[in-house]
Amino acid sequence: MVRFLEFTGKPFVMMIEAFGKVSLLLFSTLAWMVRPPYRIHEIFKQMEFVGVNSLPVVLITGAFTGMVLAIQTYYGFRMFGGESLVGATVALSMARELGPAITALMVTGRAGSAMAAEIGTMRVTEQIDALYTMSVNPVQYLIMPRVIAGIVMLPMLTIVSDFIGIVGGYFVGVGLLNINSGIFIARIVEFVDLSDIINGLIKASVFGLILSLVGCYKGFNTSGGAAGVGRATTQAVVVSSVSILISDYFLTAVMF
Amino acid sequence: MKIQLVNICKAFGDQVVLDSLNLTVEPHRITVIIGESGGGKSVLLKHIIGLIRPDAGSVYIDDVEISALNERQLNDVRKNFGMLFQEAALFDSMTVGENVAFPIREHTRLTKEEINIIVEEKLRQVGLKKVTGKMPAELSGGMRKRVGLARALALNPKIILFDEPTTGLDPIRRDDIDRLIVKTQQHTRATCLVISHDIDSTFKIAHKVAMLYDGRIIEYGPPEKIKNSENPVVKNFIEGKSSSEQ
Ligand SMILES: Nc1ncnc2c1ncn2[C@@H]1O[C@H](COP(=O)(O)OP(=O)(O)OP(=O)(O)O)[C@@H](O)[C@H]1O
Ligand SMILES: [Mg+2]
């Protein structure tokens, strides 16, 4: 029994501990955010990296998600003659769920992993120590700009993803499956509220916080040379993705 | 500025690296620390700038106990420091010029042109030309080391810590860097702490030499005292004899 508790309890305790440490890093990040210098240049650099450079992948995944949604709902809804609702279903699914989630997962793979790798390399080659010796706080210089970029850019990318997903759905629904174009759009306008979109963007912002904070945390606590950097990168992606999907459930349950 | 280490103990796991070490580094002098590889010299240096905190004991900089300061307070104290890392620790996302300019940009309000002049000057002092636009990955190990040196000296710090400034350089460059350290010290009256493996250059530049062995300073004094030390460990070290040969 004791061994069973130890076996199941240990990962649990470690999880709580890690959660505590990430929270501490978040508080430290917030504290350095309001202290000068404000690192505007670094923040814009990270926004470009997280946001602008993620556009191609977000466009492609968003478009195909919308397209596949249109096909799937079409085949389902046709059984009871509900083809006219395909547009609204695609739009609602994109705005409330798939836009934020797909975007966050793609950006985790692209930018979250890069954050862990870059900061991890800086850790094992003593570049972070060098920052300390030059009186530059690495939380302020490295982590704060990335976290801000995550929080701000994920909603922006999600808007793009939502929009291109609906365009993809329209292309498949109206172009290939011959749904009436006017009805397709009218149903979207009728069923999608602004609050659906806004709630999706709030989710995206939380996901952006998660993926940047986890990426930075894993990188910042890297040890053990190149192998350690590899480990940190993998863990950053896995932990971020799992956390995003779990928090997605709870956010959705609270919001809708 | 005076540096004082009092009863410093540091262990990593069950490996004891520093064992109640005491050392007072005189202000406005060059002190060289010698000792065998893996003996804890780099660890000692990192204690002085607060990168590593001692398990027990205290580090004082001009009577401020820095081992008791928090990260924000340390941030202020460190503005007096310049440090050259053993592996240079250049920022690999920045060019050589940006690396050297980094501390200047962070802590002064000089214009771009003024900063560029200082950067060129510092790079010239360490014998580097036409590398300003290169990335650290494009440089040789010895060149990286010298860029690190230029970066450490960029703000004319009051305390300069050098972790093996001449390791990996050819004899002529080594001599240049030794001269540069002496000249910089005379010019800025900085307190310099140099880690070295090179016995010749140690005796050339040092006002004081300290030998680290077994987690303690076992010999300390002017170069003559070290040269004439009766301690067999010190004797063997400066004569380059392995102690197992005896
Ligand atoms: N962060 C660390 N974690 C664990 N052990 C460490 C750490 N840093 C140093 N050590 C250990 O402390 C000992 C002293 O290391 P240090 O780098 O100070 O040696 P050194 O005297 O500078 O050697 P060298 O002349 O080869 O540079 C080594 O045995 C090393 O394994
Ligand atoms: Mg060393």
Side-chain angles (χ1 to χ4, degrees):
Chain A
M1 184 63 195
V2 172
R3 284 192 52 197
F4 174 77
L5 279 180
E6 209 179 278
F7 185 73
T8 52
K10 219 171 179 183
F12 191 66
V13 170
M14 273 164 65
M15 228 167 74
I16 303 262
E17 198 184 315
F19 186 77
K21 283 186 187 155
V22 173
S23 307
L24 281 180
L25 182 62
L26 176 61
F27 287 128
S28 161
T29 307
L30 292 175
W32 282 103
M33 213 176 272
V34 294
R35 255 178 233 155
Y38 297 110
R39 308 281 176 202
I40 305 294
H41 179 78
E42 289 302 309
I43 293 174
F44 276 104
K45 213 169 91 184
Q46 291 305 323
M47 283 184 171
E48 182 186 351
F49 177 70
V50 173
V52 181
N53 298 355
S54 298
L55 264 180
V57 73
V58 167
L59 283 172
I60 293 171
T61 52
F64 277 92
T65 307
M67 284 158 71
V68 81
L69 265 178
I71 295 183
Q72 296 286 25
T73 46
Y74 177 79
Y75 283 109
F77 287 4
R78 197 179 48 174
M79 293 178 211
F80 52 89
E83 294 97 328
S84 64
L85 283 170
V86 168
T89 311
V90 170
L92 275 179
S93 313
M94 285 307 294
R96 291 170 60 136
E97 186 54 52
L98 290 167
I102 299 271
T103 305
L105 293 177
M106 293 320 291
V107 176
T108 298
R110 235 203 101 254
S113 59
M115 290 177 190
E118 196 179 347
I119 297 179
T121 305
M122 292 186 73
R123 166 65 78 190
V124 299
T125 55
E126 297 187 317
Q127 293 174 53
I128 289 185
D129 285 343
L131 281 175
Y132 278 120
T133 66
M134 287 181 252
S135 300
V136 174
N137 187 283
V139 173
Q140 190 189 43
Y141 185 75
L142 296 173
I143 298 183
M144 183 268 282
R146 285 170 169 80
V147 170
I148 290 185
I151 294 174
V152 174
M153 295 319 279
L154 258 283
M156 307 272 179
L157 290 169
T158 300
I159 292 176
V160 173
S161 174
D162 289 354
F163 179 75
I164 199 76
I166 295 170
V167 170
Y170 180 89
F171 171 74
V172 170
V174 175
L176 302 178
L177 303 171
N178 294 319
I179 301 172
N180 181 292
S181 158
I183 291 181
F184 188 96
I185 292 174
R187 289 285 182 274
I188 293 180
V189 176
E190 187 180 337
F191 283 104
V192 181
D193 284 337
L194 188 61
S195 71
D196 291 320
I197 298 172
I198 303 244
N199 283 343
L201 298 184
I202 294 173
K203 280 210 269 190
S205 214
V206 175
F207 298 162
L209 171 68
I210 292 175
L211 75 90
S212 56
L213 200 60
V214 171
C216 291
Y217 172 82
K218 286 291 174 189
F220 203 63
N221 292 291
T222 302
S223 61
V229 175
R231 241 181 347 257
T233 311
T234 312
Q235 283 177 5
V237 172
V238 173
V239 173
S240 296
S241 306
V242 171
S243 310
I244 284 170
L245 293 177
I246 293 175
S247 68
D248 189 13
Y249 172 79
F250 288 105
L251 286 171
T252 310
V254 171
M255 281 175 177
F256 295 112
Chain B
M1 292 176 107
K2 193 170 84 175
I3 305 168
Q4 221 178 340
L5 299 159
V6 182
N7 287 326
I8 302 289
C9 298
K10 184 71 195 177
F12 294 105
D14 48 14
Q15 180 198 6
V16 177
V17 178
L18 301 179
D19 186 7
S20 48
L21 175 142
N22 288 288
L23 175 68
T24 303
V25 179
E26 289 177 24
H28 317 304
R29 287 282 178 277
I30 298 176
T31 302
V32 179
I33 298 179
I34 55 175
E36 56 187 12
S37 182
K41 302 183 296 300
S42 299
V43 170
L44 173 63
L45 216 58
K46 286 177 188 171
H47 275 86
I48 293 171
I49 197 164
L51 285 176
I52 299 181
R53 286 179 193 267
D55 298 337
S58 322
V59 180
Y60 297 91
I61 306 291
D62 266 0
D63 302 318
V64 180
E65 187 181 354
I66 65 150
S67 42
L69 298 182
N70 67 29
E71 204 45 61
R72 263 181 86 189
Q73 295 164 320
L74 265 178
N75 219 36
D76 285 331
V77 177
R78 285 181 183 136
K79 288 182 182 143
N80 299 303
F81 280 86
M83 176 162 177
L84 167 65
F85 282 81
Q86 191 166 358
E87 312 288 344
L90 300 181
F91 301 123
D92 48 24
S93 60
M94 300 181 196
T95 64
V96 166
E98 287 166 344
N99 263 283
V100 180
F102 185 81
I104 313 176
R105 262 196 217 138
E106 285 293 323
H107 299 298
T108 69
R109 295 180 169 279
L110 299 180
T111 63
K112 252 198 175 125
E113 289 73 33
E114 290 168 315
I115 292 177
N116 284 343
I117 291 170
I118 301 178
V119 168
E120 287 303 328
E121 163 74 11
K122 297 290 170 187
L123 285 171
R124 200 185 44 75
Q125 283 181 353
V126 296
L128 290 172
K129 275 180 231 143
K130 297 185 192 145
V131 294
T132 319
K134 288 201 172 181
M135 300 304 282
E138 299 170 89
L139 304 182
S140 75
M143 289 164 89
R144 274 202 287 274
K145 199 74 178 253
R146 285 182 281 155
V147 175
L149 189 59
R151 188 177 68 179
L153 299 178
L155 283 174
N156 297 324
K158 296 196 187 105
I159 299 177
I160 318 177
L161 309 176
F162 302 91
D163 199 339
E164 304 192 12
T166 56
T167 304
L169 302 183
D170 62 72
I172 294 169
R173 288 268 177 260
R174 211 178 295 169
D175 200 50
D176 286 346
I177 298 297
D178 284 344
R179 265 180 238 265
L180 174 65
I181 293 173
V182 171
K183 211 174 77 191
T184 306
Q185 197 280 328
Q186 282 169 351
H187 191 69
T188 64
R189 304 207 3 97
T191 305
C192 295
L193 197 57
V194 184
I195 292 178
S196 183
H197 274 140
D198 187 332
I199 301 298
D200 290 340
S201 77
T202 297
F203 290 140
K204 224 184 297 172
I205 66 173
H207 297 117
K208 290 283 163 60
V209 181
M211 164 115 188
L212 175 67
Y213 182 77
D214 218 7
R216 292 158 182 267
I217 301 296
I218 55 162
E219 192 76 272
Y220 173 78
E224 299 75 47
K225 183 176 171 199
I226 305 294
K227 271 183 205 162
N228 304 321
S229 172
E230 291 301 315
N231 188 324
V233 177
V234 180
K235 243 174 140 167
N236 283 333
F237 188 83
I238 60 176
E239 285 165 13
K241 264 195 250 159
S242 162
S243 43
S244 58
E245 275 173 36
Q246 288 184 327

